[in-house]
Structures are given as C-alpha cells and as structure tokens.
Amino acid sequence: MSLDTGKHKGTLIIVAGPSAVGKGTIVKELKKRYPDLFVSVSVTTRPPRPDEVDGRDYHFISEDEFQVMVAHNDLLESALVHQTHHYGTPKTPVQQCIDAGNPALLEIDVNGAFQVKDKMPDAYMIFIAPPSWQELERRLLGRGSENYDQRRRRLRTAHKEMALRERFDAIVINDDLDTATDEVAHLMSLA
C-alpha cells in the first residue's frame, strides 16, 4: 500500500509512550504497510542493542557529536533519557519532508514530544499505552536489554509518562499489534 500524501500535506505526527510499550514495533509495521511514509531516525549516545542497525533504528553518535548538534541548533528536540544517554531528533530531514508537503512521523519519548509540540503546535500527538502496568513490566523484562537498575529507572520514568497521556491528541492501547497499528493508521488518515 502506498501513502496518499494528498490528505497529509506537511503534517507532523508524533508517536510517543513509555519504554517497552511497542511504539517502535507499531512504527515498523506502519512503514511496512506504507513504504513511502517518512519516519525520522533519531540520534542517540547510547550503544546499539544487538538487533539494532545504525542509520535504520538510530544514528549512534558520541557524546561530543551530540553536543556539537545541540550547539548548532541542529535538533528539533533533545533529552537526557533515564539519566544515562542523550537522544534527539535531527531538525533538517523533518523540516525538508514537511516543506515538501509530505507527512513526517516521529517516534520519540514523551518529554521530546512536548518539546516538539511547543515548537510546532500543529503536530498531532499519539500516546501508545500498554494494556496494563503489569504488561508493561513484563515487556520491559522480556526485552532483556536492561539490567535491574535500568529497568527500575525506566519504570519510574514510565509511571511519570503515563500520568501525562491525557495531554496527547489521542491514546492507542497496544494490546494487539495489528489492531494498534490499524488505529494509528486511522488517526493519521492513512487507512
């Protein structure tokens, strides 16, 4: 299925939610269904997980490279996530996509979503929520990519993020991947 850009001229869509909620999986499924959909690739100072590819999942950069981007105002948003690593959205590719009249999709953390919304008030924000707190804990543990302290930090952050979900334009509960992806596609007027 290809993307009908006529409905989405210059739209910025933000998908955010807590760690392990499945927002990345939903975005990958959207990209499969709509190959022409522009999905911004964030930069991060954290090391890649075993299944991640530089340039596809993130641009993995050094702390020094990140600070240069901040100094040059090259990021649409940036944050120190879980008090350990920096993340950010490169501004230029997103702006070029919107200026060309195409929709741009950002998959970012909740703090970043609010930073972007402050700079680009017309952005449409979708919060991806777990079906339950217990399920979010199970998913985070099942990833096996964080140690005990990292999981505790992520769960504390997730608790704060869940409290902010009502500030989003829409909430999608990720109980079933196909259903959640269908809902996000509908909210984006893709389906």
Side-chain angles (χ1 to χ4, degrees), residues 29-153:
E29 183 61 27
L30 283 169
K31 186 69 175 162
K32 255 197 275 183
R33 293 181 189 185
Y34 307 98
D36 295 335
L37 178 64
F38 171 83
V39 178
S40 176
V41 179
S42 298
V43 296
T44 184
T45 60
R46 76 161 170 77
R49 294 184 182 119
D51 61 335
E52 292 178 324
V53 175
D54 185 46
R56 181 193 71 194
D57 300 294
Y58 289 95
H59 295 289
F60 297 97
I61 63 173
S62 70
E63 183 65 34
D64 288 343
E65 290 170 307
F66 188 88
Q67 293 308 323
V68 167
M69 292 183 82
V70 169
H72 291 139
N73 197 26
D74 291 336
L75 297 173
L76 190 55
E77 57 83 30
S78 64
L80 179 63
V81 178
H82 309 299
Q83 302 173 347
T84 54
H85 298 292
H86 284 102
Y87 289 75
T89 301
K91 184 178 8 180
T92 301
V94 172
Q95 195 60 57
Q96 288 173 340
C97 182
I98 292 169
D99 289 348
N102 297 314
L105 179 62
L106 305 183
E107 176 208 335
I108 55 180
D109 76 328
V110 171
N111 178 48
F114 291 123
Q115 287 182 51
V116 174
K117 185 74 169 179
D118 285 344
K119 292 176 184 171
M120 303 180 85
D122 292 336
Y124 188 79
M125 299 197 319
I126 302 170
F127 187 89
I128 307 299
S132 69
W133 184 256
Q134 294 76 18
E135 177 61 15
L136 183 66
E137 288 178 318
R138 187 193 68 73
R139 290 178 187 178
L140 187 59
L141 182 63
R143 285 197 327 194
S145 57
E146 292 91 9
N147 65 34
Y148 176 77
D149 288 336
Q150 291 169 326
R151 283 193 306 271
R152 284 180 33 150
R153 242 189 333 267

